[in-house]
Amino acid sequence: STTVPLFGALTSTHTTATLQPPLPEVVWMWELDRVRGTCLFRARESDIEVELPMDPMHGTVGVAPANLEVRSALVPDAHGGNMDTPEMRAGVTCYLGVNVEGALFSLGDGHARQGEGETCGVAVECAMNTVVVVELLKGVETPWPRIESDTHIMATGSARPLEDAFRISQLDLVRWVERDYGLSALDAYQLVTQAGEAPLANVCDTNYTCVAKIRKEWLPRQGEPHRGLHRHLRDAAAQLPLFNA
């Protein structure tokens, strides 16, 4: 991991201009133990060490954007991209709306672990081998990237300022609960307000990303998100020889 001059949440940037000089480029080499599943932090200016659990994730997951637009992989938006959410870990299903023929799905930016916000702009970056199961679900509107785990459904929003990213993610979660769980818009709004969580994904990229999530156990039992695709894919993935490797 590293600090990058003019990049990150706690330094001057090109768009947040100040008189103070940018932070220097400093590199931290994290020691990864795949057998024990840990990441070892060693302080640069003392002998302090901290061992953290490995939590592999992809910072960048997306499809081609709409309207023939070309985007840098650094810019998250409605098509996905560099959202940098720790929720994008093994075992989840990511729903992405298809904008062009073939979707042009891509993923990268492997992280051994990352805290919420990716504050300095750089996670514990690493090479990664990933097994992905892809399915096409027709006729289900997905305006923003959505994530489903065994325990939560999650909506993402990417924009600047940060409150707009928050609003996008909250609105999409409300609309999702309304559609798949049979609640009215205002009832879904009230339930999400009292039962939802709002972790930050990144606050350092060209667009910031927020996540809105809610526990499945707190949702109406008759609902099934995205026609049960997550359950179907989990069952299919369990048959792959590398899935539990």
Side-chain angles (χ1 to χ4, degrees):
S1 187
T2 182
T3 51
V4 180
L6 297 176
F7 185 68
L10 300 182
T11 184
S12 300
T13 70
H14 295 293
T15 56
T16 305
T18 67
L19 280 173
Q20 65 198 39
L23 293 177
E25 182 177 337
V26 180
V27 177
W28 288 263
M29 299 300 293
W30 288 69
E31 184 176 312
L32 307 183
D33 188 328
R34 287 188 292 178
V35 175
R36 297 178 60 241
T38 59
C39 308
L40 181 63
F41 165 74
R42 289 191 176 95
R44 289 290 304 262
E45 300 178 9
S46 69
D47 58 359
I48 294 174
E49 295 184 351
V50 179
E51 193 172 64
L52 300 175
M54 194 181 296
D55 189 9
M57 51 157 289
H58 275 290
T60 301
V61 177
V63 293
N67 302 318
L68 302 178
E69 190 174 5
V70 177
R71 283 293 187 99
S72 163
L74 189 64
V75 184
D77 211 308
H79 67 285
N82 196 42
M83 297 178 287
D84 282 318
T85 171
E87 305 289 357
M88 198 71 73
R89 56 173 61 90
V92 305
T93 299
C94 176
Y95 301 102
L96 298 159
V98 175
N99 301 307
V100 302
E101 184 177 355
L104 303 183
F105 172 77
S106 66
L107 77 167
D109 194 18
H111 296 169
R113 71 163 293 118
Q114 177 211 298
E116 291 177 2
E118 198 185 26
T119 306
C120 83
V122 183
V124 181
E125 310 286 336
C126 67
M128 189 174 290
N129 296 320
T130 303
V131 177
V132 180
V133 180
V134 179
E135 182 63 273
L136 178 63
L137 183 64
K138 294 185 177 182
V140 178
E141 184 181 10
T142 309
W144 285 85
R146 294 173 174 175
I147 303 169
E148 183 179 352
S149 70
D150 294 340
T151 59
H152 290 78
I153 62 170
M154 296 166 264
T156 69
S158 298
R160 284 204 190 191
L162 184 59
E163 56 263 35
D164 282 351
F166 175 83
R167 291 187 184 105
I168 291 168
S169 63
Q170 294 289 319
L171 174 61
D172 194 49
L173 184 60
V174 168
R175 293 300 191 200
W176 191 1
V177 170
E178 177 189 8
R179 185 193 71 192
D180 286 356
Y181 290 90
L183 292 171
S184 69
L186 287 181
D187 281 339
Y189 186 24
Q190 178 61 207
L191 181 59
V192 168
T193 298
Q194 310 310 338
E197 304 167 60
L200 293 174
N202 93 80
V203 289
C204 52
D205 290 337
T206 309
N207 281 337
Y208 300 150
T209 302
C210 284
V211 175
K213 59 189 291 190
I214 190 169
R215 291 183 179 274
K216 290 179 178 179
E217 64 182 290
W218 294 343
L219 292 168
R221 292 188 177 181
Q222 68 269 25
E224 189 170 46
H226 285 258
R227 299 179 188 164
L229 185 60
H230 173 73
R231 174 172 42 80
H232 166 71
L233 292 179
R234 289 287 276 164
D235 291 344
Q239 307 304 315
L240 295 174
L242 294 177
F243 182 69
N244 294 312

